[in-house]
Amino acid sequence: MSTEKTSTPVDAPAAAADAVTAVDPRLLVREQGFAGYITEFKRKMRAGDLGSIPVVVGLIIIWAIFASMNSRFLTAENLNNISVAMVGTGMIAVGIVFVLLLGEIDLSVGSVSGVAGAVAAVLAVTHGAPEWIAMIVAILSGTVIGTIHGFFFARIGAPAFAVTLAGLLFWQGFMLQILGDNGTINLDSEGLIAKLTSYYFTDVAAAYGLAVVAVAAFFLSAFFDSRRRDAAGVPSRPLSEIIVRTVVLAVVAFAAAIMFNQYKGLPLALVIFLVFLVGTDFVLRRTTYGRKVFALGGSVEASRRAGINVTLIRTSVYAIAGTFAAAGGLFMASKIAAANQGAGTGDLLMNAIAAAVIGGTSLFGGRGRTWNALLGVMVITSIQYGLALEGIATPVQYMITGGVLLATVVIDSITRKTQKTAGRA
């Protein structure tokens, strides 16, 4: 005689009181209106999802402090100089963001930037090549160098730290070798390379036009993205939120345009930098390649099982880092209209990595945007220029920048722990 067992439902354990429920913010805003923003902000704070809030607040505080110390800090001339000076380091930091998204590091970018400047100077000045050809060859040299580093790391399996540390030493020696005994090659002050940082769009329509294009592009992109999400039946941002975001961007963009037009005009260097930021942000957020980079930063094994070519992605990321290091090197050479033995040395490597991290890119991989490079390099360059206006020595600048970097890393670590506790990492 068989006895039939009936299963009784078992109640699921009650959720922890402090658990953070994952809710799409677009749903909150659509259903609750302005109150949804408050709810979402509180949820992010509990989950440790701070985003770019700390660095934006920090930048405002830094500007306020230096403005109170010296009235010249927020003048159009000083802010314009900051916007040009930060481009070289910022370009290198963009490449670093790609590497950090994998949870890796590249210690060679400073030396690679020096090599690029030296290659361009040797070709253009010593061998008489057209400067545009010299620039292309210099940038491609960075791509090749980065690919070599990626090969040893991704294919051979050598640690990225060791590979790029060796690259730092090797390429620094290579730069000194091609510069020759003189050690310095002066560039044409009216040439194409020099104009990367010396050329300004003096017509006031240029700055205002760029502001209009940026605001319009942002609104159209956000609007049509919302329409696509609506059509797919997934949460989307309401039109009211898109309008608010567009208005905020418009205020910032036109304020910057007014500032630029008060001194020389819109700098070409900044325009180029912004174009690359928009392009790389699109690649990371809107393409299959970008999703693979984020996936690899989250879990190498899971990415491999999902069919992602881990070796190819890793190699390509280092190639990108080398390319942007070379581009940054050209801007560095342009700033002083020369390539010399000091290129790529000093605090350049530290500042490039610090810019990416301070801007909000996680050292643990899987979280960050190329716009973080812009925020981070603005913080670093603002500190440097603010302290220089006060005549404070370079050692103090190093200590303050190091303190800011340490604070950022601590925040990143605490944020990561908080997210794990909340079940979001």
Side-chain angles (χ1 to χ4, degrees), residues 80 200-215 249-250 252-268 270-271 274:
N80 207 314
Y200 291 79
F201 297 97
T202 54
D203 192 332
V204 295
Y208 291 126
L210 180 62
V212 170
V213 170
V215 172
L249 175 62
V252 174
F254 281 97
I258 293 172
M259 180 272 296
F260 287 130
N261 285 331
Q262 290 179 355
Y263 178 78
K264 289 188 177 182
L266 179 66
L268 173 63
L270 183 63
V271 174
L274 292 176

Side-chain angles (χ1 to χ4, degrees), residues 260-345:
F260 287 130
N261 285 331
Q262 290 179 355
Y263 178 78
K264 289 188 177 182
L266 179 66
L268 173 63
L270 183 63
V271 174
I272 295 174
F273 187 33
L274 292 176
V275 168
F276 277 102
L277 284 174
V278 171
T280 50
D281 182 68
F282 177 84
V283 169
L284 282 177
R285 296 196 304 117
R286 301 290 185 180
T287 66
T288 302
Y289 175 80
R291 288 190 286 271
K292 289 179 180 178
V293 171
F294 279 107
L296 196 56
S299 173
V300 175
E301 186 57 34
S303 300
R304 183 178 287 109
R305 293 184 179 183
I308 295 176
N309 189 331
V310 174
T311 300
L312 177 62
I313 298 298
R314 281 177 161 177
T315 304
S316 66
V317 163
Y318 276 90
I320 291 172
T323 303
F324 276 94
L330 291 179
F331 281 96
M332 296 288 185
S334 172
K335 196 75 173 62
I336 61 174
N340 58 36
Q341 295 178 342
T345 59

Side-chain angles (χ1 to χ4, degrees), residues 31-401:
E31 295 171 358
Q32 302 179 17
F34 181 75
Y37 287 105
I38 306 300
T39 303
E40 173 63 6
F41 179 78
K42 291 179 179 178
R43 184 192 67 81
K44 285 185 174 182
M45 292 301 100
R46 290 196 301 269
D49 187 7
L50 302 177
S52 298
I53 293 176
V55 66
V56 172
V57 172
L59 184 61
I60 293 173
I61 293 174
I62 289 169
W63 282 18
I65 291 174
F66 284 126
S68 65
M69 294 171 60
N70 194 312
S71 60
R72 289 183 296 164
F73 182 79
L74 290 182
T75 61
E77 179 181 359
N78 191 59
L79 293 178
N80 207 314
N81 290 336
I82 289 175
S83 69
V84 174
M86 71 182 187
V87 172
T89 305
M91 291 290 280
I92 300 174
V94 170
I96 288 292
V97 168
F98 278 83
V99 176
L100 291 179
L101 286 174
L102 298 185
E104 301 295 343
I105 195 67
D106 189 343
L107 301 178
S108 69
V109 289
S111 296
V112 174
S113 70
V115 168
V119 168
V122 169
L123 289 177
V125 178
T126 306
H127 298 288
E131 288 199 8
W132 66 271
I133 293 179
M135 291 171 62
I136 292 175
V137 173
I139 291 176
L140 290 178
S141 69
T143 306
V144 172
I145 292 172
T147 303
I148 293 172
H149 294 164
F151 171 80
F152 282 105
F153 165 59
R155 177 68 66 177
I156 305 302
F161 180 90
V163 171
T164 57
L165 178 60
L168 181 155
L169 299 172
F170 180 88
W171 299 116
Q172 185 174 344
F174 181 76
M175 177 192 70
L176 298 177
Q177 182 67 30
I178 63 176
L179 283 176
D181 295 334
N182 188 31
T184 300
I185 300 177
N186 294 319
L187 296 166
D188 180 5
S189 59
E190 298 298 323
L192 184 59
I193 297 177
K195 286 184 177 180
L196 286 175
T197 55
S198 65
Y199 185 82
Y200 291 79
F201 297 97
T202 54
D203 192 332
V204 295
Y208 291 126
L210 180 62
V212 170
V213 170
V215 172
F218 174 82
F219 175 79
L220 292 175
S221 174
F223 177 75
F224 286 113
D225 180 63
S226 179
R227 291 280 298 273
R228 284 193 297 269
R229 295 182 70 89
D230 281 337
V234 294
S236 61
R237 297 191 187 281
L239 181 60
S240 58
E241 181 183 355
I242 295 175
I243 292 175
V244 170
R245 287 170 176 259
T246 303
V247 170
V248 172
L249 175 62
V251 171
V252 174
F254 281 97
I258 293 172
M259 180 272 296
F260 287 130
N261 285 331
Q262 290 179 355
Y263 178 78
K264 289 188 177 182
L266 179 66
L268 173 63
L270 183 63
V271 174
I272 295 174
F273 187 33
L274 292 176
V275 168
F276 277 102
L277 284 174
V278 171
T280 50
D281 182 68
F282 177 84
V283 169
L284 282 177
R285 296 196 304 117
R286 301 290 185 180
T287 66
T288 302
Y289 175 80
R291 288 190 286 271
K292 289 179 180 178
V293 171
F294 279 107
L296 196 56
S299 173
V300 175
E301 186 57 34
S303 300
R304 183 178 287 109
R305 293 184 179 183
I308 295 176
N309 189 331
V310 174
T311 300
L312 177 62
I313 298 298
R314 281 177 161 177
T315 304
S316 66
V317 163
Y318 276 90
I320 291 172
T323 303
F324 276 94
L330 291 179
F331 281 96
M332 296 288 185
S334 172
K335 196 75 173 62
I336 61 174
N340 58 36
Q341 295 178 342
T345 59
D347 61 351
L348 177 59
L349 172 63
M350 178 197 73
N351 285 342
I353 296 176
V357 176
I358 290 173
T361 304
S362 176
L363 283 168
F364 302 99
R367 190 179 78 247
R369 296 180 62 181
T370 51
W371 288 100
N372 296 147
L374 172 62
L375 292 173
V377 77
M378 285 179 67
V379 169
I380 291 175
T381 311
S382 296
I383 291 174
Q384 292 174 340
Y385 269 67
L387 294 177
L389 284 175
E390 294 301 306
I392 297 176
T394 300
V396 179
Q397 297 182 25
Y398 286 169
M399 289 187 286
I400 293 177
T401 304

Side-chain angles (χ1 to χ4, degrees), residues 20 44-49 411-425:
V20 179
K44 285 185 174 182
M45 292 301 100
R46 290 196 301 269
D49 187 7
I411 292 174
D412 184 30
S413 299
I414 294 174
T415 298
R416 188 175 176 85
K417 290 181 179 179
T418 305
Q419 289 178 337
K420 284 184 177 180
T421 303
R424 301 189 66 226

